[in-house]
């Protein structure tokens, strides 16, 4: 714990905890909409923003927020108009984003270490200005996801029903796209472009193993994200490993432990059921 006496480790821990809360709070809506891979696509677009920031000698995080937001809005408008398939649009984000980022980083005076910091995360190099950006944007995402939970859930669960109910579906979809872009951009400093989706999706998938309602799943996912972020930074500090990889591996380990425990509990309940007792009817869990 002595390492956390240093300011750079304190910034790393605070930044990881903010992202650990915000990423699953947004990720649960992406899982509900079956858009778990969109974080990767927007992450690659954000890499283009990073390259532009380095080339123009501006804050890479702020430039990446702007570029990723524009990319997310574009992909949502394309999806809503139905002019191309979602898979094709995501493919364009993947390839165009990472190609543009690599090209712009190459044109700047940045070294390969600068690119690796955004590809794989570099929590220990977070500056005070970066931490302020992460904290402000992370808090805004968290408050928005919690405050608009009923409306966002309705849109993600059944878009047609939400439209009939009078909800501003297009506005909410655009808001969700912008929130995804912002979350991906601030999480880029923690886990890197290549691992962003894991922190947004894995805690949600873990929580779904043991919870039944949308509210409880969201709370459990945020708690698991907070645990993975804090413990991942501690493991990285003590074992001298990459912080981003440590956070994601702990999140995946939590999923495996919870999934095995849940499967064992179900098997134990089946064995304890008296012979001849009819099995309960399977039912669909309604998240609310």
């Amino acid at each position: 714990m002595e390492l956390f006496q240093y300011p750079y480790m304190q910034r790393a821990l605070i930044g990881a905890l903010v992202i650990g809360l915000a990423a699953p709070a947004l990720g649960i809506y992406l899982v509900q909409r079956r858009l778990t891979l969109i974080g990767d696509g927007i992450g690659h677009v954000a890499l283009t923003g990073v390259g532009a920031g380095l080339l123009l000698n501006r804050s890479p995080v702020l430039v990446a927020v702007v570029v990723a937001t524009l990319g997310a809005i574009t992909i949502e408008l394309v999806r809503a108009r139905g002019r191309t398939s979602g898979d094709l649009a995501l493919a364009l984000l993947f390839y165009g984003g990472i190609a543009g980022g690599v090209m712009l980083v190459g044109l700047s005076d940045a070294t390969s270490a600068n690119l690796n910091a955004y590809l794989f995360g570099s929590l220990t190099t977070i500056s005070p200005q970066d931490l302020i950006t992460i904290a402000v944007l992370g808090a805004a995402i968290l408050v928005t996801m919690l405050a608009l939970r009923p409306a966002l859930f309705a849109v993600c669960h059944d878009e047609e029903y939400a439209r009939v109910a009078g909800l501003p579906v297009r506005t909410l979809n655009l808001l969700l796209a912008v929130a995804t872009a912002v979350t991906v951009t601030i999480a880029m400093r923690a886990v890197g472009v290549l691992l962003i989706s894991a922190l947004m999706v894995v805690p949600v998938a873990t929580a779904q193993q043991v919870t039944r309602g949308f509210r409880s799943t969201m709370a459990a996912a945020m708690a698991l994200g907070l645990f993975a972020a804090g413990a991942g930074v501690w493991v990285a500090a003590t074992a001298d490993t990459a912080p981003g990889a440590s956070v994601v591996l702990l999140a995946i380990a939590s999923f495996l432990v919870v999934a095995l425990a849940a499967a064992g509990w179900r098997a134990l309940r089946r064995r304890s059921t008296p012979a001849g007792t009819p099995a309960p009817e399977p039912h669909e869990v309604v998240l609310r």
Side-chain angles (χ1 to χ4, degrees):
M1 299 297 292
E2 294 181 358
L3 283 174
F4 290 99
Q5 296 177 358
Y6 298 100
Y8 74 93
M9 286 303 302
Q10 295 171 4
R11 291 194 297 268
L13 180 60
I14 295 172
L17 293 177
V18 171
I19 295 167
L21 277 174
L26 170 71
I28 190 170
Y29 298 106
L30 301 182
V31 171
Q32 186 74 10
R33 294 189 68 180
R34 294 178 174 85
L35 290 174
T36 55
L37 291 179
I38 195 171
D40 284 326
I42 295 179
H44 287 70
V45 174
L47 188 62
T48 298
V50 170
L54 293 173
L55 181 63
L56 300 174
N57 197 25
R58 296 291 186 270
S59 171
V61 174
L62 292 179
V63 177
V65 168
V66 175
V67 173
T69 299
L70 293 176
I73 292 174
T74 300
I75 195 62
E76 174 57 31
L77 293 177
V78 169
R79 185 198 67 82
R81 293 175 182 271
R83 293 183 178 177
T84 185
S85 68
D87 290 342
L88 177 58
L90 282 177
L92 293 175
L93 283 176
F94 267 75
Y95 306 134
I98 197 167
V102 171
M103 183 185 71
L104 290 176
V105 171
L107 291 174
S108 68
D109 295 330
T111 63
S112 60
N114 296 101
L115 181 60
N116 289 336
Y118 293 95
L119 285 174
F120 304 105
S122 182
L123 271 171
T124 55
T125 61
I126 291 179
S127 66
Q129 292 76 17
D130 288 338
L131 182 60
I132 293 174
T133 302
I134 291 172
V136 171
L137 295 179
I141 293 298
L142 189 59
V143 170
T144 302
M145 295 302 104
L146 293 175
L148 299 180
R149 179 173 55 199
L152 289 174
F153 169 73
V155 170
C156 294
H157 183 66
D158 191 338
E159 191 169 301
E160 291 301 322
Y161 170 80
R163 185 174 287 108
V164 171
L167 291 174
V169 174
R170 173 168 292 186
T171 301
L172 290 172
N173 281 331
L174 288 174
L175 174 64
L176 197 60
V178 171
T180 303
V182 174
T183 304
V184 164
T185 305
I186 62 174
M188 186 167 53
R189 293 307 305 267
V191 296
V193 166
L194 301 182
L195 298 174
I196 283 174
S197 285
L199 196 57
M200 299 170 68
V201 173
V202 175
V204 178
T206 305
Q208 287 178 336
Q209 302 294 317
V210 294
T211 58
R212 297 174 64 88
F214 187 81
R215 183 180 301 177
S216 58
T217 300
M218 188 178 196
M222 291 168 60
L224 288 165
L226 195 66
F227 163 76
V233 173
W234 178 80
V235 169
T238 55
D240 195 22
T241 57
S246 301
V247 170
V248 172
L249 286 176
L250 276 174
I252 294 175
S254 299
F255 172 80
L256 294 176
V257 169
V258 171
L260 290 174
W265 173 251
R266 288 192 293 267
L268 183 62
R269 290 190 62 183
R270 284 196 299 267
R271 288 185 179 182
S272 62
T273 302
T277 302
E281 291 293 329
H283 61 279
E284 181 180 356
V285 175
V286 179
L287 299 179
R288 43 180 190 176

